[in-house]
Amino acid sequence: MKKLGFGMMRLPLLNEEDKKSIDKKTVCQMVDTFMERGFTYFDTAYMYHEYESERAVKDVLVTRKDRDSYTLASKLPVMQLKEKEDMERIFNEQREKCGVEYFDYYLLHALDAEHYKTVKRLDCFGFAMQKKAEGKVKHVGFSFHDSAEVLDEILTEHPEAEFVQLQLNYLDWEDAKVQSRKCYETAVKHGKKVVVMEPVKGGTLAKLPKKAEDVLKALHPDWSAASWAIRFVASLENVMVVLSGMSTPEQMDDNTAYMKEFEPLTEAEKQVLLGEVVDIIHEAAKIPCTACRYCVEGCPMSIAIPEYFALYNEELVDKGNPEHAKRYEELTKEHGKASDCVECGQCEGACPQHLPAIGWLKKVAETFEH
């Protein structure tokens, strides 16, 4: 299998304000390009695109392509499970939405220390393995957002997990909270293949500060910033596939072009990313939000947290641009303001990046609310 996967989490939209309004015509074109260039791995999940991603997969992929021409991954939303019966109900709903008899890869979604308690209480691994025995799942794994220590505990207690999906990228490689390198090494220690998520960190590593961009352009003038990020993780030996949440045909063209006949980065190239480029990015002090939107669903004030963080980051790059303030005002007509935050901590508990979101919202309010 080629090492690039199509993540169905950030698909193109007909209306940027409506995450359900997936532009299926454009996605069909992207799926065709992806498969024509020899790529086969598609990744979706129950909650993506406000519960519409799986239905879109059926329309853009399943009804249009032979079932043996692609592999499909989806995920059991552990964070939404209350009782054992929920697993069967949701699994059947997912198969119906996707229009498939089986999933090639089925993951327990977004495990951390807290969600692992639910996994143990409801025996989620036992459920997934039962689906494998029934022929409705081919490979069982889990996606993960926590420390290497917690990952080691889960893999020790559940050797039946065949693979693990990790957030790996060069910016988080030595990050004390995300622990990309340590988690990767833990998976290798247990002999597990790794699926990579967030290789471009929600687009952060596709739009670098000019100083960092200049460093990379000096080495390879024709390489995009995003391609450096994906090449970095694809160069890791135990990586099975790198997921890219491609939102445009241009991103699809770029990624498939260099991943078609992939060549790993040299050690010297890796060190440039991990050293000079990471230092420059940290100097810019942007909010490292990946816009996964896990924080939004439970916000009691309906604050558009990822959108506000993206605007704040844009303001850092292009200070005083009136469009930023205008966009912020438009968003506040339908969402709570940053200053409406009641500091309940729900967003921080849900954030896979472990961001101090409450503090950042105060910065947003200071910047845009005068």
Side-chain angles (χ1 to χ4, degrees):
M1 182 168 66
K2 290 184 184 291
K3 271 193 167 184
L4 180 69
F6 192 171
M8 316 296 273
M9 182 186 186
R10 298 185 177 93
L11 298 172
L13 301 172
L14 295 169
N15 173 10
E16 289 301 319
E17 302 297 318
D18 180 7
K19 300 301 177 189
K20 294 184 177 183
S21 68
I22 297 166
D23 182 353
K24 292 179 185 174
K25 184 179 176 183
T26 299
V27 181
C28 283
Q29 295 169 3
M30 294 168 69
V31 166
D32 290 345
T33 299
F34 188 73
M35 295 188 70
E36 283 162 9
R37 295 187 177 179
F39 300 94
T40 58
Y41 192 102
F42 293 84
D43 172 89
T44 185
Y46 190 61
M47 300 183 300
Y48 291 174
H49 280 278
E50 296 182 8
Y51 303 90
E52 286 300 311
S53 177
E54 289 174 324
R55 285 195 182 92
V57 166
K58 180 178 181 179
D59 292 340
V60 303
L61 176 67
V62 175
T63 60
R64 299 174 63 243
K65 306 291 181 182
D66 292 338
R67 184 62 184 92
D68 60 358
S69 66
Y70 61 86
T71 52
L72 180 61
S74 196
K75 309 177 188 77
L76 182 70
V78 173
M79 65 292 290
Q80 296 190 1
L81 301 178
K82 304 295 182 197
E83 50 196 45
K84 280 197 171 190
E85 290 73 21
D86 292 337
M87 294 188 285
E88 187 73 36
R89 173 181 56 80
I90 289 172
F91 182 77
N92 290 334
E93 183 186 340
Q94 289 179 294
R95 283 200 305 147
E96 184 182 345
K97 283 164 76 175
C98 290
V100 295
E101 290 297 314
Y102 65 90
F103 291 108
D104 299 277
Y105 299 90
Y106 197 65
L107 300 83
L108 308 187
H109 197 175
L111 297 198
D112 57 16
E114 197 58 36
H115 292 151
Y116 187 44
K117 293 176 186 175
T118 302
V119 167
K120 289 195 278 192
R121 179 171 64 85
L122 300 179
D123 188 21
C124 296
F125 274 107
F127 171 80
M129 293 304 291
Q130 179 59 38
K131 293 303 162 193
K132 183 178 178 181
E134 292 170 8
K136 295 173 183 174
V137 166
K138 288 193 173 181
H139 303 284
V140 172
F142 61 94
S143 62
F144 181 79
H145 292 284
D146 210 321
S147 68
E149 185 180 358
V150 175
L151 179 61
D152 188 55
E153 178 188 349
I154 297 174
L155 289 174
T156 299
E157 294 178 3
H158 293 282
E160 68 271 28
E162 297 167 74
F163 66 101
V164 59
Q165 186 164 307
L166 299 174
Q167 176 170 316
L168 303 184
N169 58 67
Y170 66 81
L171 188 60
D172 292 326
W173 194 241
E174 298 296 349
D175 184 272
K177 290 179 179 176
V178 181
Q179 297 188 3
S180 274
R181 177 181 58 79
K182 288 181 179 178
C183 286
Y184 172 73
E185 289 172 353
T186 300
V188 172
K189 182 183 84 171
H190 285 271
K192 306 302 179 186
K193 285 293 184 184
V194 173
V195 174
V196 175
M197 58 183 160
E198 300 295 356
V200 191
K201 203 166 170 67
T204 299
L205 303 181
K207 298 175 185 174
L208 298 175
K210 188 177 183 306
K211 191 175 170 186
E213 214 170 78
D214 289 344
V215 169
L216 298 180
K217 289 293 182 191
L219 292 173
H220 291 284
D222 300 330
W223 289 12
S224 67
S227 81
W228 275 95
I230 290 173
R231 282 179 165 105
F232 174 80
V233 288
S235 298
L236 297 167
E237 189 179 347
N238 270 52
V239 164
M240 178 174 82
V241 66
V242 180
L243 300 177
S244 178
M246 295 170 274
S247 306
T248 65
E250 291 74 24
Q251 291 173 3
M252 177 65 74
D253 282 336
D254 181 40
N255 285 346
T256 54
Y258 64 83
M259 288 298 289
K260 194 175 177 183
E261 303 297 337
F262 174 68
E263 291 184 19
L265 293 181
T266 65
E267 285 304 312
E269 288 166 341
K270 290 178 191 174
Q271 290 313 310
V272 169
L273 290 174
L274 293 171
E276 197 172 352
V277 173
V278 165
D279 288 345
I280 293 168
I281 295 170
H282 283 153
E283 280 172 23
K286 293 168 76 173
I287 305 174
C289 170
T290 67
C292 69
R293 306 188 64 78
Y294 294 173
C295 59
V296 174
E297 199 163 313
C299 177
M301 306 307 292
S302 298
I303 299 170
I305 300 169
E307 287 82 358
Y308 292 168
F309 287 175
L311 275 175
Y312 180 84
N313 287 342
E314 288 174 28
E315 178 68 10
L316 287 178
V317 175
D318 187 12
K319 229 172 182 56
N321 186 328
E323 286 299 313
H324 300 156
K326 183 180 173 186
R327 174 89 180 109
Y328 180 78
E329 192 177 335
E330 286 172 2
L331 283 164
T332 60
K333 289 174 184 174
E334 294 191 16
H335 303 277
K337 294 181 179 180
S339 60
D340 291 339
C341 173
V342 295
E343 301 187 20
C344 68
Q346 182 278 334
C347 54
E348 294 188 356
C351 179
Q353 310 305 318
H354 312 288
L355 296 181
I358 294 168
W360 281 118
L361 283 171
K362 288 177 182 175
K363 290 276 189 187
V364 172
E366 288 168 15
T367 304
F368 295 113
E369 298 176 28
H370 304 297

